[in-house]
PDB file of all heavy atoms in Angstrom:
ATOM      1  N   SER A   1    -142.224 -12.322  56.961  1.00  0.00           N
ATOM      2  CA  SER A   1    -141.372 -13.389  57.469  1.00  0.00           C
ATOM      3  C   SER A   1    -140.375 -12.970  58.521  1.00  0.00           C
ATOM      4  O   SER A   1    -139.981 -13.575  59.491  1.00  0.00           O
ATOM      5  CB  SER A   1    -140.683 -14.232  56.336  1.00  0.00           C
ATOM      6  OG  SER A   1    -139.893 -13.347  55.520  1.00  0.00           O
ATOM      7  N   TYR A   2    -139.813 -11.738  58.204  1.00  0.00           N
ATOM      8  CA  TYR A   2    -138.810 -11.261  59.093  1.00  0.00           C
ATOM      9  C   TYR A   2    -139.280 -10.832  60.473  1.00  0.00           C
ATOM     10  O   TYR A   2    -138.623 -10.938  61.448  1.00  0.00           O
ATOM     11  CB  TYR A   2    -138.010 -10.018  58.504  1.00  0.00           C
ATOM     12  CG  TYR A   2    -136.961 -10.678  57.408  1.00  0.00           C
ATOM     13  CD1 TYR A   2    -137.241 -10.866  56.057  1.00  0.00           C
ATOM     14  CD2 TYR A   2    -135.694 -11.063  57.817  1.00  0.00           C
ATOM     15  CE1 TYR A   2    -136.396 -11.342  55.161  1.00  0.00           C
ATOM     16  CE2 TYR A   2    -134.767 -11.475  56.944  1.00  0.00           C
ATOM     17  CZ  TYR A   2    -135.189 -11.673  55.638  1.00  0.00           C
ATOM     18  OH  TYR A   2    -134.272 -12.226  54.675  1.00  0.00           O
ATOM     19  N   TYR A   3    -140.553 -10.403  60.501  1.00  0.00           N
ATOM     20  CA  TYR A   3    -141.134 -10.118  61.804  1.00  0.00           C
ATOM     21  C   TYR A   3    -141.298 -11.449  62.600  1.00  0.00           C
ATOM     22  O   TYR A   3    -141.044 -11.555  63.765  1.00  0.00           O
ATOM     23  CB  TYR A   3    -142.465  -9.450  61.639  1.00  0.00           C
ATOM     24  CG  TYR A   3    -143.114  -8.882  62.962  1.00  0.00           C
ATOM     25  CD1 TYR A   3    -142.874  -7.655  63.417  1.00  0.00           C
ATOM     26  CD2 TYR A   3    -143.925  -9.773  63.703  1.00  0.00           C
ATOM     27  CE1 TYR A   3    -143.386  -7.202  64.589  1.00  0.00           C
ATOM     28  CE2 TYR A   3    -144.454  -9.323  64.862  1.00  0.00           C
ATOM     29  CZ  TYR A   3    -144.209  -8.003  65.316  1.00  0.00           C
ATOM     30  OH  TYR A   3    -144.736  -7.552  66.511  1.00  0.00           O
ATOM     31  N   GLN A   4    -141.675 -12.504  61.838  1.00  0.00           N
ATOM     32  CA  GLN A   4    -141.945 -13.826  62.456  1.00  0.00           C
ATOM     33  C   GLN A   4    -140.621 -14.313  63.008  1.00  0.00           C
ATOM     34  O   GLN A   4    -140.454 -14.884  64.032  1.00  0.00           O
ATOM     35  CB  GLN A   4    -142.587 -14.838  61.503  1.00  0.00           C
ATOM     36  CG  GLN A   4    -142.679 -16.172  62.063  1.00  0.00           C
ATOM     37  CD  GLN A   4    -143.643 -16.270  63.223  1.00  0.00           C
ATOM     38  OE1 GLN A   4    -144.491 -15.463  63.330  1.00  0.00           O
ATOM     39  NE2 GLN A   4    -143.355 -17.222  64.045  1.00  0.00           N
ATOM     40  N   MET A   5    -139.499 -14.052  62.236  1.00  0.00           N
ATOM     41  CA  MET A   5    -138.156 -14.388  62.664  1.00  0.00           C
ATOM     42  C   MET A   5    -137.885 -13.758  64.043  1.00  0.00           C
ATOM     43  O   MET A   5    -137.276 -14.372  64.906  1.00  0.00           O
ATOM     44  CB  MET A   5    -137.179 -14.046  61.725  1.00  0.00           C
ATOM     45  CG  MET A   5    -137.109 -14.972  60.530  1.00  0.00           C
ATOM     46  SD  MET A   5    -135.847 -14.338  59.289  1.00  0.00           S
ATOM     47  CE  MET A   5    -136.523 -14.878  57.756  1.00  0.00           C
ATOM     48  N   GLY A   6    -138.245 -12.549  64.205  1.00  0.00           N
ATOM     49  CA  GLY A   6    -138.057 -11.813  65.408  1.00  0.00           C
ATOM     50  C   GLY A   6    -138.684 -12.499  66.575  1.00  0.00           C
ATOM     51  O   GLY A   6    -138.248 -12.656  67.689  1.00  0.00           O
ATOM     52  N   VAL A   7    -139.998 -12.968  66.317  1.00  0.00           N
ATOM     53  CA  VAL A   7    -140.694 -13.691  67.389  1.00  0.00           C
ATOM     54  C   VAL A   7    -140.035 -14.967  67.757  1.00  0.00           C
ATOM     55  O   VAL A   7    -139.890 -15.347  68.941  1.00  0.00           O
ATOM     56  CB  VAL A   7    -142.106 -13.969  66.900  1.00  0.00           C
ATOM     57  CG1 VAL A   7    -142.889 -14.860  67.887  1.00  0.00           C
ATOM     58  CG2 VAL A   7    -142.934 -12.689  66.645  1.00  0.00           C
ATOM     59  N   GLU A   8    -139.460 -15.659  66.688  1.00  0.00           N
ATOM     60  CA  GLU A   8    -138.834 -16.859  66.912  1.00  0.00           C
ATOM     61  C   GLU A   8    -137.473 -16.702  67.758  1.00  0.00           C
ATOM     62  O   GLU A   8    -137.189 -17.488  68.591  1.00  0.00           O
ATOM     63  CB  GLU A   8    -138.582 -17.750  65.673  1.00  0.00           C
ATOM     64  CG  GLU A   8    -139.894 -18.144  65.019  1.00  0.00           C
ATOM     65  CD  GLU A   8    -139.645 -18.443  63.582  1.00  0.00           C
ATOM     66  OE1 GLU A   8    -138.547 -18.289  62.930  1.00  0.00           O
ATOM     67  OE2 GLU A   8    -140.731 -18.920  62.824  1.00  0.00           O
ATOM     68  N   LEU A   9    -136.812 -15.655  67.381  1.00  0.00           N
ATOM     69  CA  LEU A   9    -135.589 -15.333  68.027  1.00  0.00           C
ATOM     70  C   LEU A   9    -135.855 -14.972  69.477  1.00  0.00           C
ATOM     71  O   LEU A   9    -135.023 -15.336  70.365  1.00  0.00           O
ATOM     72  CB  LEU A   9    -134.929 -14.302  67.278  1.00  0.00           C
ATOM     73  CG  LEU A   9    -133.399 -13.960  67.673  1.00  0.00           C
ATOM     74  CD1 LEU A   9    -132.519 -15.139  67.544  1.00  0.00           C
ATOM     75  CD2 LEU A   9    -132.857 -12.837  66.883  1.00  0.00           C
ATOM     76  N   ALA A  10    -136.890 -14.301  69.718  1.00  0.00           N
ATOM     77  CA  ALA A  10    -137.200 -13.825  71.140  1.00  0.00           C
ATOM     78  C   ALA A  10    -137.525 -15.124  71.912  1.00  0.00           C
ATOM     79  O   ALA A  10    -136.931 -15.226  73.148  1.00  0.00           O
ATOM     80  CB  ALA A  10    -138.410 -12.999  71.127  1.00  0.00           C
ATOM     81  N   GLU A  11    -138.162 -16.028  71.403  1.00  0.00           N
ATOM     82  CA  GLU A  11    -138.485 -17.323  72.109  1.00  0.00           C
ATOM     83  C   GLU A  11    -137.173 -18.052  72.443  1.00  0.00           C
ATOM     84  O   GLU A  11    -136.952 -18.563  73.512  1.00  0.00           O
ATOM     85  CB  GLU A  11    -139.438 -18.164  71.367  1.00  0.00           C
ATOM     86  CG  GLU A  11    -140.861 -17.486  71.237  1.00  0.00           C
ATOM     87  CD  GLU A  11    -141.755 -18.368  70.223  1.00  0.00           C
ATOM     88  OE1 GLU A  11    -141.243 -19.121  69.487  1.00  0.00           O
ATOM     89  OE2 GLU A  11    -142.914 -17.990  70.179  1.00  0.00           O
ATOM     90  N   ALA A  12    -136.303 -18.122  71.359  1.00  0.00           N
ATOM     91  CA  ALA A  12    -134.995 -18.882  71.539  1.00  0.00           C
ATOM     92  C   ALA A  12    -134.141 -18.138  72.609  1.00  0.00           C
ATOM     93  O   ALA A  12    -133.416 -18.903  73.320  1.00  0.00           O
ATOM     94  CB  ALA A  12    -134.337 -18.951  70.086  1.00  0.00           C
ATOM     95  N   MET A  13    -134.078 -16.834  72.589  1.00  0.00           N
ATOM     96  CA  MET A  13    -133.305 -16.160  73.563  1.00  0.00           C
ATOM     97  C   MET A  13    -133.725 -16.369  74.938  1.00  0.00           C
ATOM     98  O   MET A  13    -132.884 -16.619  75.915  1.00  0.00           O
ATOM     99  CB  MET A  13    -133.195 -14.662  73.299  1.00  0.00           C
ATOM    100  CG  MET A  13    -132.443 -14.254  72.014  1.00  0.00           C
ATOM    101  SD  MET A  13    -130.663 -14.566  72.212  1.00  0.00           S
ATOM    102  CE  MET A  13    -130.044 -14.190  70.491  1.00  0.00           C
ATOM    103  N   LYS A  14    -134.984 -16.331  75.189  1.00  0.00           N
ATOM    104  CA  LYS A  14    -135.633 -16.566  76.484  1.00  0.00           C
ATOM    105  C   LYS A  14    -135.224 -17.990  76.996  1.00  0.00           C
ATOM    106  O   LYS A  14    -134.846 -18.130  78.119  1.00  0.00           O
ATOM    107  CB  LYS A  14    -137.107 -16.287  76.534  1.00  0.00           C
ATOM    108  CG  LYS A  14    -137.709 -16.472  77.859  1.00  0.00           C
ATOM    109  CD  LYS A  14    -139.217 -16.197  77.846  1.00  0.00           C
ATOM    110  CE  LYS A  14    -139.855 -16.335  79.184  1.00  0.00           C
ATOM    111  NZ  LYS A  14    -141.358 -16.000  79.233  1.00  0.00           N
ATOM    112  N   ALA A  15    -135.530 -18.953  76.051  1.00  0.00           N
ATOM    113  CA  ALA A  15    -135.312 -20.414  76.478  1.00  0.00           C
ATOM    114  C   ALA A  15    -133.750 -20.680  76.661  1.00  0.00           C
ATOM    115  O   ALA A  15    -133.336 -21.272  77.510  1.00  0.00           O
ATOM    116  CB  ALA A  15    -135.800 -21.303  75.423  1.00  0.00           C
ATOM    117  N   GLY A  16    -132.958 -20.046  75.785  1.00  0.00           N
ATOM    118  CA  GLY A  16    -131.510 -20.349  75.825  1.00  0.00           C
ATOM    119  C   GLY A  16    -130.758 -19.762  76.923  1.00  0.00           C
ATOM    120  O   GLY A  16    -129.687 -20.158  77.215  1.00  0.00           O
ATOM    121  N   THR A  17    -131.364 -18.792  77.703  1.00  0.00           N
ATOM    122  CA  THR A  17    -130.756 -17.993  78.688  1.00  0.00           C
ATOM    123  C   THR A  17    -131.547 -18.257  80.026  1.00  0.00           C
ATOM    124  O   THR A  17    -131.263 -17.540  80.976  1.00  0.00           O
ATOM    125  CB  THR A  17    -130.618 -16.588  78.474  1.00  0.00           C
ATOM    126  OG1 THR A  17    -131.923 -15.842  78.236  1.00  0.00           O
ATOM    127  CG2 THR A  17    -129.753 -16.241  77.247  1.00  0.00           C
ATOM    128  N   ASP A  18    -132.467 -19.249  80.088  1.00  0.00           N
ATOM    129  CA  ASP A  18    -133.355 -19.427  81.188  1.00  0.00           C
ATOM    130  C   ASP A  18    -134.060 -18.132  81.683  1.00  0.00           C
ATOM    131  O   ASP A  18    -134.029 -17.822  82.900  1.00  0.00           O
ATOM    132  CB  ASP A  18    -132.528 -20.012  82.314  1.00  0.00           C
ATOM    133  CG  ASP A  18    -132.001 -21.443  82.015  1.00  0.00           C
ATOM    134  OD1 ASP A  18    -132.727 -22.184  81.283  1.00  0.00           O
ATOM    135  OD2 ASP A  18    -130.835 -21.806  82.455  1.00  0.00           O
ATOM    136  N   GLY A  19    -134.457 -17.345  80.758  1.00  0.00           N
ATOM    137  CA  GLY A  19    -135.137 -16.142  81.057  1.00  0.00           C
ATOM    138  C   GLY A  19    -134.274 -14.969  81.330  1.00  0.00           C
ATOM    139  O   GLY A  19    -134.726 -13.863  81.687  1.00  0.00           O
ATOM    140  N   GLY A  20    -132.942 -15.144  81.188  1.00  0.00           N
ATOM    141  CA  GLY A  20    -131.999 -13.998  81.445  1.00  0.00           C
ATOM    142  C   GLY A  20    -131.981 -12.951  80.292  1.00  0.00           C
ATOM    143  O   GLY A  20    -131.616 -11.882  80.656  1.00  0.00           O
ATOM    144  N   VAL A  21    -132.428 -13.335  79.119  1.00  0.00           N
ATOM    145  CA  VAL A  21    -132.453 -12.290  78.081  1.00  0.00           C
ATOM    146  C   VAL A  21    -133.898 -12.300  77.628  1.00  0.00           C
ATOM    147  O   VAL A  21    -134.449 -13.298  77.217  1.00  0.00           O
ATOM    148  CB  VAL A  21    -131.637 -12.608  76.790  1.00  0.00           C
ATOM    149  CG1 VAL A  21    -131.905 -11.657  75.664  1.00  0.00           C
ATOM    150  CG2 VAL A  21    -130.158 -12.468  77.222  1.00  0.00           C
ATOM    151  N   ILE A  22    -134.645 -11.177  77.649  1.00  0.00           N
ATOM    152  CA  ILE A  22    -136.004 -11.058  77.182  1.00  0.00           C
ATOM    153  C   ILE A  22    -136.123 -10.107  76.067  1.00  0.00           C
ATOM    154  O   ILE A  22    -135.749  -8.896  76.229  1.00  0.00           O
ATOM    155  CB  ILE A  22    -136.965 -10.504  78.415  1.00  0.00           C
ATOM    156  CG1 ILE A  22    -136.808 -11.457  79.682  1.00  0.00           C
ATOM    157  CG2 ILE A  22    -138.363 -10.337  77.915  1.00  0.00           C
ATOM    158  CD1 ILE A  22    -137.323 -12.852  79.414  1.00  0.00           C
ATOM    159  N   LEU A  23    -136.544 -10.574  74.919  1.00  0.00           N
ATOM    160  CA  LEU A  23    -136.731  -9.735  73.672  1.00  0.00           C
ATOM    161  C   LEU A  23    -138.093  -9.306  73.520  1.00  0.00           C
ATOM    162  O   LEU A  23    -139.064 -10.164  73.577  1.00  0.00           O
ATOM    163  CB  LEU A  23    -136.229 -10.463  72.373  1.00  0.00           C
ATOM    164  CG  LEU A  23    -134.741 -10.424  72.025  1.00  0.00           C
ATOM    165  CD1 LEU A  23    -133.934 -11.230  72.980  1.00  0.00           C
ATOM    166  CD2 LEU A  23    -134.564 -10.967  70.597  1.00  0.00           C
ATOM    167  N   THR A  24    -138.350  -8.069  73.342  1.00  0.00           N
ATOM    168  CA  THR A  24    -139.733  -7.579  72.931  1.00  0.00           C
ATOM    169  C   THR A  24    -139.628  -7.207  71.526  1.00  0.00           C
ATOM    170  O   THR A  24    -138.985  -6.251  71.127  1.00  0.00           O
ATOM    171  CB  THR A  24    -140.087  -6.391  73.837  1.00  0.00           C
ATOM    172  OG1 THR A  24    -140.087  -6.794  75.199  1.00  0.00           O
ATOM    173  CG2 THR A  24    -141.557  -5.916  73.472  1.00  0.00           C
ATOM    174  N   VAL A  25    -140.398  -7.745  70.637  1.00  0.00           N
ATOM    175  CA  VAL A  25    -140.451  -7.460  69.189  1.00  0.00           C
ATOM    176  C   VAL A  25    -141.185  -6.223  68.877  1.00  0.00           C
ATOM    177  O   VAL A  25    -142.248  -5.955  69.343  1.00  0.00           O
ATOM    178  CB  VAL A  25    -140.991  -8.692  68.385  1.00  0.00           C
ATOM    179  CG1 VAL A  25    -140.987  -8.311  66.929  1.00  0.00           C
ATOM    180  CG2 VAL A  25    -140.236  -9.952  68.700  1.00  0.00           C
ATOM    181  N   GLU A  26    -140.476  -5.303  68.215  1.00  0.00           N
ATOM    182  CA  GLU A  26    -141.012  -3.992  67.825  1.00  0.00           C
ATOM    183  C   GLU A  26    -141.112  -3.854  66.300  1.00  0.00           C
ATOM    184  O   GLU A  26    -140.172  -4.170  65.615  1.00  0.00           O
ATOM    185  CB  GLU A  26    -140.206  -2.896  68.368  1.00  0.00           C
ATOM    186  CG  GLU A  26    -140.681  -1.471  68.103  1.00  0.00           C
ATOM    187  CD  GLU A  26    -139.711  -0.457  68.754  1.00  0.00           C
ATOM    188  OE1 GLU A  26    -139.550  -0.526  69.909  1.00  0.00           O
ATOM    189  OE2 GLU A  26    -139.251   0.441  68.015  1.00  0.00           O
ATOM    190  N   GLU A  27    -142.311  -3.449  65.745  1.00  0.00           N
ATOM    191  CA  GLU A  27    -142.406  -3.357  64.312  1.00  0.00           C
ATOM    192  C   GLU A  27    -141.523  -2.216  63.735  1.00  0.00           C
ATOM    193  O   GLU A  27    -141.244  -1.269  64.342  1.00  0.00           O
ATOM    194  CB  GLU A  27    -143.869  -3.070  63.968  1.00  0.00           C
ATOM    195  CG  GLU A  27    -144.055  -3.058  62.410  1.00  0.00           C
ATOM    196  CD  GLU A  27    -145.624  -2.808  62.184  1.00  0.00           C
ATOM    197  OE1 GLU A  27    -146.362  -2.539  63.047  1.00  0.00           O
ATOM    198  OE2 GLU A  27    -145.998  -3.052  60.885  1.00  0.00           O
ATOM    199  N   SER A  28    -141.036  -2.454  62.568  1.00  0.00           N
ATOM    200  CA  SER A  28    -140.302  -1.441  61.822  1.00  0.00           C
ATOM    201  C   SER A  28    -140.816  -1.137  60.447  1.00  0.00           C
ATOM    202  O   SER A  28    -141.504  -2.055  59.859  1.00  0.00           O
ATOM    203  CB  SER A  28    -138.816  -2.018  61.755  1.00  0.00           C
ATOM    204  OG  SER A  28    -138.134  -1.284  60.695  1.00  0.00           O
ATOM    205  N   GLN A  29    -140.417  -0.060  59.853  1.00  0.00           N
ATOM    206  CA  GLN A  29    -140.923   0.241  58.471  1.00  0.00           C
ATOM    207  C   GLN A  29    -139.847  -0.228  57.470  1.00  0.00           C
ATOM    208  O   GLN A  29    -140.087   0.089  56.266  1.00  0.00           O
ATOM    209  CB  GLN A  29    -141.224   1.624  58.360  1.00  0.00           C
ATOM    210  CG  GLN A  29    -142.394   2.155  59.236  1.00  0.00           C
ATOM    211  CD  GLN A  29    -143.697   1.259  58.960  1.00  0.00           C
ATOM    212  OE1 GLN A  29    -144.122   1.119  57.860  1.00  0.00           O
ATOM    213  NE2 GLN A  29    -144.235   0.673  60.039  1.00  0.00           N
ATOM    214  N   GLY A  30    -138.666  -0.631  57.997  1.00  0.00           N
ATOM    215  CA  GLY A  30    -137.734  -1.118  56.959  1.00  0.00           C
ATOM    216  C   GLY A  30    -136.248  -0.819  57.363  1.00  0.00           C
ATOM    217  O   GLY A  30    -136.047  -0.213  58.415  1.00  0.00           O
ATOM    218  N   SER A  31    -135.368  -1.332  56.608  1.00  0.00           N
ATOM    219  CA  SER A  31    -133.937  -1.424  57.043  1.00  0.00           C
ATOM    220  C   SER A  31    -133.366   0.042  57.093  1.00  0.00           C
ATOM    221  O   SER A  31    -132.416   0.260  57.830  1.00  0.00           O
ATOM    222  CB  SER A  31    -133.198  -2.313  56.055  1.00  0.00           C
ATOM    223  OG  SER A  31    -133.579  -3.632  56.141  1.00  0.00           O
TER     224      SER A  31
END
């Protein structure tokens, strides 16, 4: 679910900044 949140946040950042902020989601093994 937290990886999915990253995807959602990336979409929100791109939309909320008119493409000014681009997030690329990278997998992690933990905190």
